[in-house]
Amino acid sequence: MYQHRDWHGALLDFPVNKVVCVGNNYADHIKEMGSQVSAEPVVFIKPETALCDIRQPLAIPKDLGAVHHEIELAVLIGTPLKQATEDRVANAIAGYAIALDLTLRDLQTKFKAAGQPWEKAKGFDGSCPISGFIPVSEFGDAQQADLRLLVNGETRQEGNTHNMLTPLLPLIAYMSRYFTLRAGDIILTGTPQGVGPLKAGDEIVATLNGKSVSTRVI
């Protein structure tokens, strides 16, 4: 069972709750997906059962079409937020991590075309592999964070959080208008361009500001 940990593997004293995500938060990713920039952030939720330790082998669904990787900066909420100001958001963040928003792309495409929700494509068990968290005091400027994803030694995704269309603090404040964010909730902040399929046997290295974690797909 997944539990929040720090970067070195020590348990953190936060409950495991929901994951609140944003789609289409990088212009280059919007372009590669053939989507349009939205007037407001595109928000969706993964349940706690989506969370898993990225350092463990990743079991992806079989017979449900393509499973795509999307590397993202993850934010751990440390104190509750509701209708929060950006100042309150800044004081509520406990740490940052690397996450993958795994997506059943064929299913998502079908649901979009039919005007149906994405939950089955985005919230399936194990769809949010995540690293341990780096404390805010040790992280630096989260709005200038480098993200990189290698698959089998090839760079697939590379970007920096300064390119977010909706930056971190206003994004989380916006989310808190609709969902009370509790201690232990995780925010996923969007992915840069380069998303693509994963298959059994792939070796993955995900890097955040020079700190890397590795895993493999089974």
Side-chain angles (χ1 to χ4, degrees):
M1 179 180 292
Y2 171 84
Q3 293 178 282
H4 296 315
R5 297 179 182 270
D6 69 14
W7 186 264
H8 305 290
L11 289 174
L12 296 177
D13 190 20
F14 292 104
V16 178
N17 292 314
K18 62 186 177 292
V19 184
V20 186
C21 314
V22 64
N24 296 343
N25 204 26
Y26 287 78
D28 53 7
H29 175 57
I30 293 172
K31 183 177 179 180
E32 76 174 346
M33 297 303 295
S35 301
Q36 301 294 322
V37 175
S38 302
E40 296 187 17
V42 178
V43 175
F44 59 96
I45 288 179
K46 292 175 182 272
E48 65 182 72
T49 48
L51 288 161
C52 61
D53 187 340
I54 198 172
R55 294 179 174 89
Q56 301 299 316
L58 304 183
I60 60 175
K62 306 295 191 293
D63 304 320
L64 290 176
V67 181
H68 279 204
H69 57 74
E70 300 185 12
I71 190 171
E72 310 204 7
L73 177 71
V75 181
L76 178 64
I77 301 300
T79 55
L81 293 170
K82 182 178 178 66
Q83 304 287 337
T85 63
E86 292 182 26
D87 285 343
R88 283 187 58 210
V89 171
N91 290 325
I93 295 173
Y96 301 98
I98 309 168
L100 297 181
D101 171 13
L102 298 183
T103 303
L104 292 167
R105 189 69 72 199
D106 295 338
L107 284 185
Q108 186 193 37
T109 300
K110 181 178 76 173
F111 296 148
K112 282 182 175 181
Q116 296 177 357
W118 301 355
E119 274 82 357
K120 287 184 284 186
K122 285 285 194 177
F124 57 90
D125 288 356
S127 63
C128 189
I130 193 165
S131 73
F133 287 89
I134 303 167
V136 170
S137 60
E138 299 175 12
F139 192 80
D141 185 357
Q143 208 60 73
Q144 296 285 338
D146 289 317
L147 296 165
R148 189 180 187 203
L149 185 75
L150 279 72
V151 179
N152 300 325
E154 171 193 359
T155 299
R156 291 273 190 91
Q157 291 187 264
E158 196 162 19
N160 187 285
T161 57
H162 74 253
N163 290 319
M164 289 179 180
L165 297 179
T166 305
L168 291 167
L169 298 185
L171 173 63
I172 298 171
Y174 175 86
M175 291 171 168
S176 79
R177 290 166 52 188
Y178 298 92
F179 313 108
T180 297
L181 301 175
R182 296 175 174 171
D185 282 352
I186 292 171
I187 308 299
L188 296 193
T189 57
T191 193
Q193 70 176 348
V195 303
L198 294 171
K199 64 181 186 304
D202 282 345
E203 300 287 339
I204 297 171
V205 178
T207 302
L208 173 61
N209 282 350
K211 292 179 176 287
S212 297
V213 291
S214 59
T215 189
R216 61 187 177 87
V217 181
I218 58 173

